[in-house]
Amino acid sequence: MTDAVVDTEEPAKKSKMPLIIGVVLAVAGAGGGFFAVQSGLLPFGQKDAPESAHVAEEAPEGVDSGETAEDIANLAFIEMEPIVISMRAPSGMMHLRFRAQLEVDVVHQAEVEKVLPRVVDVLNSYLRALEVEDLSDPMALPKLRAQMLRRINIATGQGRVRDLLIMDFVLN
């Protein structure tokens, strides 16, 4: 009897490294995209932002929000210089005049005043990115206010600015 030698070499296995790299990059890209949209770096999803819903839940002006006289006595209002933004409209150039005050606790007043130039820069950048069409919606001002307050809190540190009080918002 002769022994037959059978070559039973298994085919070489393909590396799984490209698959692993692809999955890691997909997860990182999805996470980065989610962060960019949620933080406002990308304009997608801004109409359904949670800040807009938060503004709708706030008590209307003149309604007691439960603040005591002591709470009100501990407030300070920091006036900001007016910001004038040129906006391109179908009918030509228009100007947006924006003036606001920041409502802060007295204990945070000095800290917020120190970074006020940063706040003005953040608001200036945000307002310059707007289009005239963004302002035509009746609910535009509460949405813009919520977006600006969120950006102000990022610039000043969370919890230092309680509210953004819009004094002038005139488009002409």
Side-chain angles (χ1 to χ4, degrees):
M1 282 199 359
T2 60
D3 290 327
V5 177
V6 178
D7 236 9
T8 57
E9 287 184 28
E10 295 180 23
K13 290 187 177 181
K14 292 185 178 180
S15 173
K16 293 185 180 181
M17 188 57 77
L19 177 65
I20 293 171
I21 290 173
V23 169
V24 168
L25 288 175
V27 169
F34 176 78
F35 173 77
V37 170
Q38 286 299 99
S39 66
L41 296 174
L42 296 176
F44 311 116
Q46 295 297 324
K47 293 186 178 179
D48 298 323
E51 293 83 17
S52 300
H54 175 70
V55 171
E57 294 171 4
E58 288 180 358
E61 275 187 44
V63 174
D64 183 21
S65 61
E67 290 183 341
T68 64
E70 185 177 311
D71 291 338
I72 294 172
N74 290 328
L75 293 179
F77 297 94
I78 301 172
E79 181 143 359
M80 296 174 49
E81 292 292 322
I83 299 173
V84 178
I85 305 291
S86 297
M87 302 182 87
R88 189 175 310 272
S91 61
M93 293 298 286
M94 298 185 83
H95 293 91
L96 171 66
R97 185 178 195 284
F98 175 80
R99 187 173 61 94
Q101 291 186 5
L102 303 176
E103 179 180 321
V104 298
D105 290 323
V106 172
V107 295
H108 298 300
Q109 183 177 2
E111 296 168 351
V112 173
E113 285 177 344
K114 187 174 182 180
V115 295
L116 197 56
R118 182 173 290 163
V119 171
V120 171
D121 177 60
V122 167
L123 292 179
N124 201 0
S125 299
Y126 176 71
L127 292 171
R128 285 190 184 280
L130 294 177
E131 302 285 332
V132 174
E133 295 80 32
D134 298 333
L135 307 175
S136 62
D137 181 21
M139 290 300 296
L141 193 57
K143 290 177 184 178
L144 295 173
R145 182 175 172 265
Q147 287 293 323
M148 288 186 282
L149 183 58
R150 186 176 64 80
R151 285 169 170 76
I152 290 169
N153 278 323
I154 291 170
T156 61
Q158 199 63 35
R160 288 190 172 88
V161 176
R162 293 178 53 148
D163 205 359
L164 172 68
L165 307 173
I166 298 177
M167 300 299 163
D168 286 333
F169 196 87
V170 180
L171 185 66
N172 56 5

